[in-house]
Amino acid sequence: MSATQILILGSGTAAPPCVEYLLRNPKNEITIACRTLSTAQDLVADRAHLTAVALDVSSSAELDSQIACHDLVISLVPCVHHSSIIKLAIKHKINVVTTSYISDAIRELDGLAKDAGITVLNEVGVDPGVDHLWAIKKINEVHSKGGKVKEFHSYCGGLPAPECANNPLGFKFSWSPRGALLSRYNAARFLSGGKEVEISNQNLMDVSKPYFVLDRYDFVAYPNRNSVPFRDFYNIPEADTVIRGSLRYAGNPAFIKSFIQLGWLNAEKKDWLIPGLTWAQIMQKAVGAQDTSEMSLITRVKDVCDFSDAAESERIIAGLRSYGLFSSDEATVRGGNLLDTLCAQLEKGLSYRPGERDLVILQHKFVVEWQDGKKVNQA
């Protein structure tokens, strides 16, 4: 049997375990494509069956030539590129796998993918992915017994284990820092008591609330993206409440909210954001402080951020200081924007170190109504 030629797009934090899994089959020949060749080469590390290439996924011509000579594409790049990748895969009749949500742009390609005879497999992570399987399994069991799912609550978190959550955010990056931060800056929609509820991206962190899953874990939860279509997707038209959300350790949403209010999650390019600036100079420009002294920066931070109390103010300001955002050290400016520049700084201290453990928490809660009218809570 001939080798299977697999193209992996992206060499970030999700790529190493993917490569390790694929290498278990010696018939897989894997090409790792990344905009920065050295990053892909580091992942190859002179191992057999691996090849590194430089590729800018925003270049249609480069992408086309690589897709054409492979049997399978696994896309680990940001989801904004997936529709263009899938279009080229359809052209060459190549199967595609992503872990991302099915966007409207991807959904529009469904007919073309079927006509081409290819499979485009999306949402194959934990959330989205495994959560779908468990939800549908339980829902089908309830329906088979004549019951109705009146409420569906699903919360998931990919977190550091408690002993490794030793930083002000209570978080570490097991996937793209950019994606992880921007996931907290999405608007949300869900069903509650038969009504649609919308939360703006600016207010998403404000609606986080304590959420019990297990003893000794101090979680908070907030809604994630658009839960409304899942009433149909899960075949529970009887449900009055449908909400899918994320779990974080207490204190994390308030810190993220401060990043948002201070402008650090802004992905727009800034002409003034150039190499050579210190972190204090960037912070001064971002928040409009009088000067770069720590006192001036902190005064402005307190003006911009609506901290809930003095303790929260002290905690978050101490965290900003610990991440070096008030310092006179030269910043690593990335992408000409505040978001990517922040990511460059945070990933230095918020990446998993050898021997550190992560933690995945996924819980579905159901309110089930049986034929006799009795309602029960199940999880």
Side-chain angles (χ1 to χ4, degrees), residues 52-122:
V53 299
L55 173 65
D56 182 354
V57 293
S58 63
S59 169
S60 181
E62 291 182 40
L63 190 59
D64 184 273
S65 64
Q66 284 294 334
I67 289 176
C69 58
H70 288 83
D71 303 310
L72 171 67
V73 177
I74 299 176
S75 179
L76 302 177
V77 296
C79 58
V80 295
H81 300 292
H82 286 161
S83 61
S84 59
I85 291 167
I86 293 169
K87 287 177 183 177
L88 292 174
I90 290 171
K91 172 185 173 182
H92 296 289
K93 298 185 177 182
I94 306 297
N95 296 324
V96 182
V97 177
T98 85
T99 60
S100 298
Y101 283 97
I102 299 175
S103 65
D104 290 340
I106 291 177
R107 188 171 284 105
E108 290 173 358
L109 299 173
D110 183 56
L112 293 175
K114 289 176 179 175
D115 291 344
I118 70 169
T119 296
V120 180
L121 184 60
N122 302 281

Side-chain angles (χ1 to χ4, degrees), residues 132-350:
H132 296 330
L133 302 180
W134 282 1
I136 291 173
K137 178 178 183 295
K138 181 63 179 180
I139 289 166
N140 286 346
E141 289 175 358
V142 171
H143 285 169
S144 70
K145 297 175 182 178
K148 297 179 179 180
V149 175
K150 301 301 292 181
E151 296 185 21
F152 173 75
H153 305 257
S154 174
Y155 287 97
C156 182
L159 303 163
E163 72 274 13
C164 301
N166 51 355
N167 63 77
L169 274 173
F171 190 79
K172 290 190 175 180
F173 298 115
S174 58
W175 57 299
S176 160
R178 193 181 210 269
L181 289 175
L182 285 181
S183 69
R184 329 287 179 85
Y185 199 33
N186 290 311
R189 293 176 63 210
F190 56 92
L191 293 169
S192 179
K195 297 181 179 179
E196 284 194 20
V197 179
E198 295 191 28
I199 309 295
S200 72
N201 63 342
Q202 292 287 340
N203 296 324
L204 183 63
M205 295 296 97
D206 286 327
V207 300
S208 65
K209 59 184 180 181
Y211 194 84
F212 176 79
V213 180
L214 294 170
D215 289 333
R216 299 184 292 112
Y217 289 92
D218 192 11
F219 293 127
V220 293
Y222 57 88
N224 183 23
R225 300 178 185 257
N226 186 2
S227 300
V228 175
F230 287 90
R231 180 163 62 177
D232 292 334
F233 181 68
Y234 288 157
N235 189 30
I236 45 174
E238 69 272 22
D240 297 322
T241 296
V242 177
I243 181 167
R244 301 172 75 254
S246 298
L247 294 172
R248 295 292 180 262
Y249 289 123
N252 175 274
F255 208 121
I256 295 296
K257 178 185 174 183
S258 297
F259 277 148
I260 293 170
Q261 292 180 323
L262 295 171
W264 281 105
L265 297 198
N266 190 332
E268 295 179 1
K269 286 196 173 184
K270 308 290 185 183
D271 292 338
W272 56 265
L273 189 53
I274 57 176
L277 294 175
T278 67
W279 288 106
Q281 288 172 325
I282 295 175
M283 181 67 90
Q284 177 197 12
K285 189 74 173 178
V287 302
Q290 289 186 347
D291 55 58
T292 60
S293 67
E294 183 171 300
M295 181 178 294
S296 177
L297 296 176
I298 290 175
T299 297
R300 185 58 183 153
V301 166
K302 290 181 177 179
D303 289 339
V304 172
C305 298
D306 54 342
F307 298 121
S308 62
D309 53 39
E312 180 177 280
S313 172
E314 183 177 343
R315 178 180 67 86
I316 291 175
I317 288 172
L320 295 172
R321 183 185 296 111
S322 74
Y323 293 137
L325 301 186
F326 301 142
S327 77
S328 58
D329 295 340
E330 184 174 330
T332 301
V333 175
R334 181 187 290 175
N337 66 73
L338 289 168
L339 171 62
D340 290 322
T341 299
L342 176 65
C343 289
Q345 182 72 344
L346 292 183
E347 64 190 22
K348 294 176 183 177
L350 299 186

